[in-house]
Amino acid sequence: MSSLVRFGVSLEKGLLEKFDRLIKERNYTNRSEAFRDLIRQEFVKKEWREGEDVAGAITLIYDHHRKDLLSKITDIQHNFQNIIISTQHIHLDHDNCLELIAVRGNPIEVQKLADTLRSIKGVKHGTLSMSSTGKEIS
Ligand code: NI
C-alpha cells in the first residue's frame, strides 16, 4: 500500500454541507474514505472510456418459460467466451430466471455483450455493472 498524504481542500460551505449529508446517507465513516471512492470512481470511468481492461457483471432477468431465450443467451455467450469469466443461472421463482455473467476484458466488447443480451426480445431487465480489474485504482 502506498503511503498516505494529507492535503487541504477548499470548498464552498453549502457544497461541503451537501457532501456531508450525502456521505452520511451512504454510511461513510469519514470524508476521506468518501473522497477516495469518488476519485477511484473517476479512474474506473476513465478505464472504460480509454479501453483499458475492465471487469464487471451483467445481470439478466428473463422468462423461464421461453425456452428459446435460454438457447439464445447461451449462443451469444459462446461468441464472447474470451471476456466471460463465469456465468451463474439462478431460478428466481416459478417463472423467472436470473443470469449473472462475470466479465473481464476490453470495455467495448463488454458493452457489446451487455447490449446484445439486453436487447433480446423477452429479456425483462438487464444491467451492466461497470467496475475495474482493481490494478489501477489502489
Ligand atoms: Ni431458471
Side-chain angles (χ1 to χ4, degrees):
M1 192 179 167
S2 52
S3 58
L4 284 178
V5 178
R6 296 179 67 93
F7 66 101
V9 176
S10 303
L11 274 184
E12 286 78 8
K13 192 167 180 281
L15 189 59
L16 182 60
E17 285 167 359
K18 273 185 167 175
F19 185 62
D20 283 342
R21 279 199 298 275
L22 180 78
I23 66 177
K24 199 176 168 199
E25 281 168 20
R26 296 189 182 174
N27 289 322
Y28 282 102
T29 48
N30 58 56
R31 286 175 185 155
S32 291
E33 191 49 35
F35 204 58
R36 281 192 282 270
D37 269 3
L38 283 176
I39 292 171
R40 288 191 192 109
Q41 184 57 38
E42 286 309 307
F43 282 117
V44 172
K45 282 185 195 167
K46 190 170 181 282
E47 288 174 12
W48 279 81
R49 233 179 12 247
E50 296 184 352
E52 304 289 331
D53 265 10
V54 295
I58 298 166
T59 66
L60 302 172
I61 306 293
Y62 61 94
D63 186 344
H64 162 68
H65 303 288
R66 294 272 311 269
K67 301 298 177 197
D68 58 316
L69 274 180
L70 181 58
S71 153
K72 255 187 208 166
I73 287 168
T74 304
D75 281 352
I76 291 165
Q77 290 187 65
H78 276 265
N79 295 333
F80 285 86
Q81 51 180 294
N82 57 321
I83 55 165
I84 295 175
I85 304 166
S86 81
T87 301
Q88 188 173 14
H89 181 100
I90 295 140
H91 313 301
L92 270 187
D93 57 30
H94 183 70
D95 302 314
N96 295 289
C97 296
L98 164 63
E99 191 107 338
L100 281 176
I101 305 162
V103 289
R104 179 182 52 210
N106 179 281
I108 294 168
E109 284 287 294
V110 171
Q111 186 74 61
K112 194 174 157 198
L113 172 61
D115 290 344
T116 307
L117 290 168
R118 273 194 294 215
S119 62
I120 297 171
K121 195 164 177 266
V123 171
K124 295 179 183 178
H125 189 242
T127 64
L128 169 59
S129 169
M130 300 162 96
S131 192
S132 167
T133 61
K135 290 177 190 161
E136 304 296 328
I137 55 169
S138 53

